Amino acid sequence: MFNIVPQPNEMIITGGKTRFTLDEDTTITKAAFIDEFRNFVKKQFDIRIHRDPEATENTIRLELTDEPDCDEGYRLVSRDGCIYIYARAENGLFYGLQTLKQLLLQGNGVVPDLYIDDKPRFSYRGFMLDSGRYFQSVKEIKRIIDLMALHKLNRFHWHLTEDQGWRVQIDKYPLLTEIGSRRSHTNFGVKPESGFYTKEDVREIVDYCHRRFIKVIPEFDIPGHCVAAIACYPELSCFSRKLKVATHWGVKHDILCAGKESTYRFVFDVLNELFELFPDKYIHLGGDEAVKMRWKRCPHCQDVIRTKGLQNEEQLQQYFMSRVARYVKEHGFTPIMWNYDGVESTERLDRDIVWQMCGANEENGIVRRELEAGRKMINSSAFPYYLDFPYGWVDLKRAYEYEPGISENILGVEAPLWTEYVPDQKTADHRTFPRLGAIAEAAWSAPEDRSYERFESGLPEYFDLLNVYHVHYATLKQALPGKLRGAAQSLWFNRRVLHWQGLHNLIDDARVERAHKNDGK
Ligand code: ACM
Ligand code: ZN
């Protein structure tokens, strides 16, 4: 029996007398996207599969047909010593090849007569990478993209702007990368951190994703999480404060000023360049953790509250997000934002903004109400989908068993990897795997086929697959740590409290208050 991740909808070993055997003579149909599969076979079996559209024996035939009733679905048949993959679109054929990789690995190059009928549960199956807190090289990102494709994920959400670093070249505002992509140190350490993606890098990554049927969603996180941008262009903040790129984690109190027209010009200018770079028609606008302390004091922000008839600063954020979302929509893109804190009512919030559920889960009244009112959402419920959380908080079983389909308006699932405590690839791997396998199954497999026991019993084969990609996954024992080890992990993770800037924020707030009082005299 084979253990395929994510579990296919239907797999029948048909018990025929023939079997497919991978060898030097094996051929494959020509197609633009097959090299990724051929490279896997070369690496694992040291066999170069040749392209031959006419072959009828010992061949892997990819055929577009009308049959599977979904663009991403496929049918894989092993019969008469050949593999046939049928799909309605190329991404289905590509997913058939991902399944075939696992069959070949588990059968050591031999596939018995079998039949697989498979299609995804959700159309949105995402992974988010935070490149703001730590910078990953283009090579590291491509490896992550390969692993996403292996799990049949199709949305790469790229968190590119943060308090601690601005990571994408914007021609109109060169300081964003000249100054905003470097910080002098990280927390109490002395190690500086820097890096950004040129437009060339971005195009290379977007193209790499497209060849794996992955759409790329850039995140430009506004109005909070913008200290790196404010460090370059102080006038973006309410009091034109001179700040440095943030060196500590935690929620910052200086955010974009929602009252100055110049802020909107900046946001629209940056978006114009993002529209060019990211053609997949989604833009993530962040919207999370926007502390309203400065807005309460800012004459520009208060002026907008008055003239637009808004009730408070929370409504000012809704006005801000909606105005930017309208710009995004006018350019043919879909706006997305975190549903995080602050959004407790939505009178002023654009109905078309897709919410990415995170801090709040389905027990949150506003999430329920918005779903019922028809707002589309992506389920990234922090428990259990935040991959940076230690296994002591979210063990493998919990990540597996959570049911994301809480409404018809859930577009799908996304697992975010925040990187405050993920400075390198090895740590990223350990946090991400095997949990991403569990989450990919929630995104792809039919709910009635999901079973944690089956998933756990298939882990040896899953780990063999990850070994091909040199993944430093957590072992089963690490991923199911038990109470004592889990508590120890939580304690260690909670050292992050020391790394927050709480005291710094208090002192800084007092400074702003004092300046305000002096002005008022
Ligand atoms: C978030 O967790 N800051 C969206
Ligand atoms: Zn302001």
Side-chain angles (χ1 to χ4, degrees):
M1 198 52 200
F2 293 94
N3 286 307
I4 310 295
V5 176
Q7 165 87 351
N9 287 217
E10 189 177 1
M11 173 159 55
I12 299 166
I13 312 282
T14 47
K17 294 268 183 295
T18 59
R19 59 190 199 164
F20 171 82
T21 306
L22 181 72
D23 62 29
E24 300 293 337
D25 299 325
T26 302
T27 56
I28 186 166
T29 322
K30 280 185 184 165
F33 53 86
I34 58 174
D35 283 348
E36 192 261 350
F37 172 77
R38 292 171 69 231
N39 292 341
F40 176 93
V41 171
K42 175 80 179 84
K43 191 163 141 197
Q44 195 54 29
F45 298 95
D46 198 24
I47 287 173
R48 262 260 156 260
I49 302 184
H50 295 285
R51 298 188 199 86
D52 182 351
E54 311 298 337
T56 52
E57 284 175 30
N58 190 6
T59 189
I60 301 164
R61 292 198 62 87
L62 310 177
E63 294 187 8
L64 289 173
T65 62
D66 284 343
E67 258 193 76
D69 62 356
C70 144
D71 274 348
E72 298 189 302
Y74 66 93
R75 188 164 295 152
L76 188 154
V77 181
S78 173
R79 180 182 359 105
D80 302 331
C82 294
I83 301 286
Y84 301 89
I85 301 176
Y86 306 103
R88 206 167 69 175
E90 286 194 332
N91 39 2
L93 298 177
F94 179 80
Y95 292 138
L97 288 176
Q98 302 310 316
T99 297
L100 182 57
K101 282 180 186 173
Q102 299 187 49
L103 295 171
L104 291 172
L105 200 60
Q106 290 174 38
N108 199 19
V110 176
V111 183
D113 284 359
L114 56 70
Y115 170 95
I116 292 174
D117 200 2
D118 200 11
K119 65 177 184 199
R121 177 178 182 196
F122 292 110
S123 61
Y124 188 113
R125 305 181 301 280
F127 170 82
M128 187 208 82
L129 180 66
D130 171 7
S131 293
R133 270 54 176 264
Y134 279 100
F135 175 80
Q136 303 85 19
S137 69
V138 170
K139 188 165 169 235
E140 285 171 327
I141 293 187
K142 285 182 173 174
R143 176 177 172 276
I144 291 172
I145 302 298
D146 283 337
L147 288 163
M148 282 182 65
L150 187 68
H151 290 77
K152 303 187 174 84
L153 301 181
N154 64 358
R155 299 287 184 272
F156 176 49
H157 170 184
W158 199 2
H159 187 79
L160 282 166
T161 67
E162 252 308 332
D163 296 315
Q164 294 85 5
W166 182 283
R167 304 292 178 212
V168 56
Q169 178 188 348
I170 300 293
D171 296 328
K172 192 151 187 181
Y173 299 95
L175 298 185
L176 288 173
T177 43
E178 267 174 46
I179 295 173
S181 69
R182 302 161 190 278
R183 60 176 182 262
S184 57
H185 62 282
T186 300
N187 292 319
F188 303 109
V190 291
K191 194 173 157 282
E193 169 78 11
S194 68
F196 68 91
Y197 306 99
T198 63
K199 291 199 164 173
E200 208 48 51
D201 293 336
V202 170
R203 288 194 192 98
E204 191 177 329
I205 286 175
V206 169
D207 178 61
Y208 198 81
C209 285
H210 288 175
R211 283 187 281 122
R212 287 154 185 75
F213 302 93
I214 292 170
K215 290 187 173 163
V216 188
I217 301 163
E219 180 175 351
F220 173 26
D221 196 350
I222 51 173
H225 292 279
C226 273
V227 170
I230 294 169
C232 309
Y233 300 100
E235 64 277 14
L236 291 172
S237 67
C238 286
F239 302 104
S240 298
R241 302 194 72 209
K242 294 198 170 29
L243 304 172
K244 289 196 160 36
V245 176
T247 52
H248 283 58
W249 314 136
V251 176
K252 310 301 175 199
H253 294 182
D254 285 287
I255 68 175
L256 297 185
C257 176
K260 297 181 203 170
E261 275 308 297
S262 55
T263 304
Y264 294 90
R265 269 199 305 282
F266 168 81
V267 168
F268 295 161
D269 285 343
V270 170
L271 284 171
N272 288 343
E273 295 194 32
L274 295 180
F275 294 149
E276 288 280 317
L277 281 174
F278 296 96
D280 291 326
K281 303 294 177 201
Y282 291 100
I283 296 276
H284 202 302
L285 297 171
D288 57 319
E289 297 175 325
V291 175
K292 311 296 190 299
M293 219 164 294
R294 305 292 183 254
W295 286 7
K296 283 191 170 57
R297 289 296 190 197
C298 171
H300 309 284
C301 288
Q302 291 304 317
D303 207 38
V304 170
I305 289 180
R306 242 184 336 269
T307 54
K308 301 288 175 195
L310 306 174
Q311 280 165 12
N312 50 32
E313 288 73 23
E314 187 185 312
Q315 287 203 349
L316 179 58
Q317 184 176 357
Q318 294 178 30
Y319 165 81
F320 176 89
M321 300 310 298
S322 301
R323 187 167 161 193
V324 178
R326 191 162 67 236
Y327 190 78
V328 167
K329 287 197 292 181
E330 280 164 8
H331 287 78
F333 283 68
T334 299
I336 308 177
M337 68 180 276
W338 299 102
N339 83 300
Y340 211 74
D341 45 24
V343 187
E344 281 157 12
S345 63
T346 55
E347 302 94 310
R348 298 278 183 160
L349 195 67
D350 190 297
R351 297 243 43 94
D352 297 331
I353 302 177
V354 173
W355 271 11
Q356 183 163 6
M357 286 171 57
C358 53
N361 59 22
E362 58 272 28
E363 282 102 49
N364 180 320
I366 186 93
V367 168
R368 274 264 158 240
R369 283 207 302 282
E370 288 292 303
L371 282 169
E372 275 157 25
R375 189 182 295 283
K376 301 285 185 227
M377 295 196 200
I378 298 152
N379 196 334
S380 281
S381 207
F383 289 95
Y385 287 159
Y386 273 23
L387 292 167
D388 50 311
F389 287 175
Y391 288 98
W393 284 9
V394 179
D395 67 21
L396 183 63
K397 187 166 193 283
R398 181 163 178 196
Y400 190 95
E401 289 188 334
Y402 174 75
E403 168 46 48
I406 58 171
S407 149
E408 288 290 295
N409 286 319
I410 295 290
L411 302 173
V413 166
E414 184 177 303
L417 181 64
W418 299 104
T419 57
E420 285 98 327
Y421 301 95
V422 183
D424 52 43
Q425 180 175 298
K426 201 169 163 187
T427 314
D429 277 4
H430 196 268
R431 297 286 172 84
T432 304
F433 302 97
R435 272 189 299 213
L436 193 65
I439 299 169
E441 215 153 277
W444 180 281
S445 308
E448 61 275 17
D449 290 341
R450 299 213 294 128
S451 145
Y452 175 73
E453 285 66 33
R454 182 200 31 78
F455 180 75
E456 191 187 297
S457 72
L459 279 178
E461 287 80 16
Y462 180 54
F463 288 151
D464 283 344
L465 179 68
L466 296 179
N467 285 335
V468 178
Y469 293 82
H470 307 287
V471 175
H472 292 273
Y473 50 81
T475 61
L476 179 59
K477 209 166 151 196
Q478 290 165 336
L480 280 183
K483 277 205 167 41
L484 205 63
R485 274 157 57 101
Q489 275 183 9
S490 293
L491 209 61
W492 175 240
F493 191 66
N494 277 323
R495 79 195 184 285
R496 73 204 207 294
V497 171
L498 295 175
H499 292 170
W500 285 352
Q501 224 173 0
L503 187 62
H504 175 96
N505 276 343
L506 278 179
I507 295 168
D508 206 39
D509 290 345
R511 202 178 289 146
V512 173
E513 288 296 312
R514 202 173 53 235
H516 184 80
K517 284 207 181 86
N518 290 344
D519 265 355
K521 270 186 192 156

